[in-house]
Amino acid sequence: MNAALRNSRGALETMKNTGMTQLDWAIIVAYLLGVVGIGVLAGFRRSKSTEGGHYFLADNALTWPIIGLAMFAANISTVHLVSLAQSAYTSGLLYGNYEWMAGFTLILLSLFFAPLYLRTRVPTLPDYLERRYNRNCRDALSIISLFSAIVIHIGVALFTAASVLCFIFGIPSDATILGLSPMMFFIVALGVLTGIYTVIGGLLAVVWTESVQTVLLLVGAICITVVGYHAVGGWDALSQTLANNPHPLAGSKEALKAQVELSSASFLHMFHPGRDNTVIGNVPWYSILLGYPIIGIWYWCCDQTIVQRVLAAKDERHARLGPLFCAFIKILPVFLFVLPGVICVALVQKGHFGQGIGPLASKDTYPFMITHLLPTGLKGLVVAAMLAAAMQTCSAALNSTATLFCYDIWKRWRPVTSDLQLVRIGRWTTIIATLLAIMLSPIFGHYSTIFQGLNTLICYVAPPITCVFLIGVFWKRAGGRAAFVTMICGAAMGFICFVADFFKDAISGKTGFLPPESPLTSAFDGFARGVLSDFMLPSFGMFRICVLI
């Protein structure tokens, strides 16, 4: 016990030496208390209400501004703040395409999907699949949606927030806080705080806190962008600096591992050719055009975590306008989340932080700018924004998990369950989902970048779901048996690709169990290089197979 306390004190002393003042800590603490208080207030606003519609769908009373902001807030997380800045530091504005192309899929949601969902009056998307196809399709989507909510939404947000906080607070990796590693301590702390107001308040607590957190998140991001843009000297100075100076990480271990000749000359270009060897993690223009619609339609039109805000709309008009408002807001992330990473490259090239001083690794780009660009007080505000981003993503996914389990699994076996019992079960589901996400979140440490891990998982999950929903909306003759077979085969293909990608080093690496000279090893290596190396094209390929099925 005494040793744990000594280690905790040592970690806290390290925090004090990173430039975080008492004002910064006061801002962070005040924010945490305030956001949990707002969630609790939402839960007790109608303390006598025990109806499932209030807890899960906020009484179907959401208007289009709240829907748009809540959808944007559920999408934007610490993952965006960190991974987009990280990608921009090594790839320029390339990954800004993902943000701007989201607007087109949101238009599809507004024009076709949202009206259909509202007219059928379904509480969950699996329920819609049952009405469109059959019960088997509903069960399949429920299981896949639970996995995506817990791992893709909650797990990655907790992992990213914890890694950022460890950097900002300067905690050594071998330190302990209350007997836990710094990463696990922050993962547990954020998960518990988010679970408290989600369990008590339900969806109303989620949208209330998301609305507040979105404003705070944007304020923090704007501060980083404005301060950095002013420091670099404007657009012309940014362009000239990038074109005429070597990249700070050129020749580094990160660049050598990626086998690229890193250069910042093309960092202000949105599209890159397939053989561009000057950026890390290049995604060719044709991969974006072919692959993004598959994962974009799944995320914005078919994922319960995002679409639940539309299902809780006041009427069809608000359900249509909410996604359009969100599409308009999605113009901002390129300038607020991607551009700061490019600005950081130019500032390091100009020696703004000192000769040779810059992020030692691309993953440290955003926290490096926080600690080196912002003054006292503003650092605390931006750190609070990072916490807000992680917590709002987790709270949205937790409520969606509870909704899916209660309506699509529990009520199937216990159809006479009362609303009061359903709310209680939903709260216990939220607690269990929080614990599972805390345990599974370290999986993202396996990938070289957080963005790569997140999008790899999405590309393996999305194709069969996108196929079933698209064909179900636009082709009346699509049958339930074919849709179920498509979902099962698509999920199997995605699982095989995930296992092969996650364990590829163990399968065919130097210590792999396959013999180095075996034909199986050669075949697997070819599969890994040809199929798994570009995570967007496999998604498009699996989608085509699902359409044929």
Side-chain angles (χ1 to χ4, degrees):
M1 180 67 178
N2 292 332
L5 290 174
R6 285 196 298 271
N7 288 334
S8 300
R9 292 193 190 101
L12 293 174
E13 287 298 324
T14 305
M15 293 181 191
K16 295 178 182 178
N17 296 330
T18 57
M20 301 294 289
T21 66
Q22 292 182 352
L23 177 60
D24 294 314
W25 291 113
I27 292 174
I28 295 172
V29 172
Y31 161 76
L32 290 176
L33 294 176
V35 76
V36 174
I38 290 174
V40 174
L41 178 63
F44 288 100
R45 178 172 177 259
R46 300 177 185 175
S47 57
K48 296 182 179 180
S49 174
T50 58
E51 295 182 3
H54 167 64
Y55 185 80
F56 297 111
L57 296 177
D59 287 334
N60 290 97
L62 300 185
T63 57
W64 67 265
I66 298 298
I67 293 172
L69 283 174
M71 291 179 67
F72 180 76
N75 167 241
I76 299 300
S77 67
T78 306
V79 178
H80 271 70
L81 292 171
V82 177
S83 65
L84 287 179
Q86 174 188 12
S87 300
Y89 196 80
T90 56
S91 307
L93 298 179
L94 172 63
Y95 286 96
N97 288 292
Y98 291 79
E99 300 303 310
W100 281 352
M101 290 190 68
F104 296 101
T105 54
L106 282 164
I107 292 173
L108 288 177
L109 174 61
S110 175
L111 294 179
F112 302 106
F113 290 90
L116 189 60
Y117 295 154
L118 264 290
R119 290 167 189 169
T120 53
R121 297 184 178 275
V122 292
T124 66
L125 296 184
D127 187 54
Y128 167 76
L129 276 194
E130 180 182 18
R131 299 188 186 188
R132 176 60 183 85
Y133 293 114
N134 54 39
R135 181 76 210 195
N136 291 332
C137 292
R138 173 175 181 166
D139 293 340
L141 183 60
S142 297
I143 295 173
I144 296 174
S145 298
L146 286 173
F147 165 80
S148 66
I150 293 174
V151 179
I152 294 178
H153 292 286
I154 308 173
V156 69
L158 292 177
F159 179 85
T160 308
S163 63
V164 170
L165 291 175
C166 286
F167 175 88
I168 292 176
F169 297 150
I171 304 177
S173 58
D174 57 350
T176 59
I177 304 176
L178 301 179
L180 298 174
S181 68
M183 282 288 294
M184 285 307 302
F185 173 80
F186 286 123
I187 287 173
V188 172
L190 290 171
V192 169
L193 286 174
T194 306
I196 289 174
Y197 67 79
T198 307
V199 165
I200 295 176
L203 183 60
L204 190 59
V206 172
V207 297
W208 274 22
T209 52
E210 280 179 345
S211 300
V212 175
Q213 291 166 0
T214 300
V215 175
L216 181 59
L217 175 62
L218 292 177
V219 168
I222 290 171
C223 292
I224 286 281
T225 305
V226 171
V227 172
Y229 189 78
H230 180 266
V232 82
W235 188 264
D236 290 338
L238 173 64
S239 178
Q240 293 176 7
T241 303
L242 293 172
N244 299 323
N245 293 278
H247 194 283
L249 293 181
S252 66
K253 291 182 179 180
E254 190 170 349
L256 293 175
K257 182 180 179 180
Q259 299 180 344
V260 299
E261 298 176 1
L262 196 57
S263 171
S264 59
S266 62
F267 268 28
L268 296 181
H269 297 167
M270 296 289 289
F271 289 103
H272 290 248
R275 296 184 179 182
D276 189 350
N277 198 39
T278 63
V279 298
I280 294 178
N282 179 42
V283 181
W285 61 270
Y286 50 84
S287 295
I288 295 174
L289 293 179
L290 293 175
Y292 181 81
I294 310 304
I295 64 176
I297 292 174
W298 168 78
Y299 187 88
W300 290 106
C301 303
C302 311
D303 182 36
Q304 179 71 25
T305 303
I306 299 296
V307 178
Q308 185 156 342
R309 282 108 193 98
V310 176
L311 299 179
K314 187 176 182 179
D315 53 40
E316 186 175 319
R317 173 177 172 271
H318 289 281
R320 283 175 173 267
L321 291 178
L324 292 180
F325 180 48
C326 183
F328 176 76
I329 303 175
K330 286 294 287 181
I331 298 174
L332 298 176
V334 172
F335 303 102
L336 300 182
F337 305 142
V338 182
L339 186 59
V342 179
I343 291 174
C344 188
V345 175
L347 290 176
V348 175
Q349 290 172 332
K350 295 179 68 173
H352 178 80
F353 308 109
Q355 193 62 34
I357 297 179
L360 299 178
S362 60
K363 66 181 178 63
D364 299 328
T365 301
Y366 200 80
F368 178 87
M369 296 185 75
I370 293 175
T371 56
H372 286 76
L373 285 179
L374 300 184
T376 299
L378 203 52
K379 291 181 183 179
L381 179 64
V382 176
V383 171
M386 305 285 279
L387 298 175
M391 293 173 71
Q392 69 196 14
T393 299
C394 294
S395 64
L398 284 172
N399 185 262
S400 296
T401 301
T403 306
L404 283 169
F405 181 81
C406 291
Y407 280 99
D408 296 305
I409 296 178
W410 186 268
K411 287 206 74 172
R412 178 184 180 183
W413 303 106
R414 298 288 180 89
V416 295
T417 303
S418 66
D419 279 349
L420 176 60
Q421 292 175 320
L422 208 61
V423 169
R424 289 175 179 173
I425 294 168
R427 287 171 174 164
W428 277 107
T429 302
T430 301
I431 294 173
I432 295 172
T434 301
L435 295 176
L436 288 175
I438 290 172
M439 291 187 293
L440 294 175
S441 61
I443 193 175
F444 291 93
H446 168 80
Y447 296 95
S448 57
T449 67
I450 298 171
F451 189 86
Q452 177 193 6
L454 174 64
N455 283 277
T456 298
L457 290 178
I458 292 177
C459 285
Y460 297 153
V461 170
I465 300 176
T466 299
C467 173
V468 168
F469 270 86
L470 272 179
I471 293 180
V473 170
F474 293 104
W475 190 33
K476 295 182 179 180
R477 295 181 60 187
R481 181 180 298 178
F484 179 68
V485 172
T486 298
M487 296 188 71
I488 296 301
C489 293
M493 286 189 293
F495 179 75
I496 292 172
C497 288
F498 166 74
V499 172
D501 181 49
F502 194 86
F503 297 103
K504 59 185 176 184
D505 292 335
I507 295 175
S508 65
K510 294 181 180 179
T511 59
F513 64 82
L514 289 179
E517 305 300 329
S518 170
L520 290 177
T521 303
S522 300
F524 179 82
D525 290 341
F527 173 75
R529 289 193 302 268
V531 176
L532 302 179
S533 58
D534 184 347
F535 57 83
M536 297 296 287
L537 286 182
S539 179
F540 179 69
M542 286 191 289
F543 175 77
R544 290 188 298 173
I545 294 175
C546 290
V547 171
L548 292 176
I549 295 176

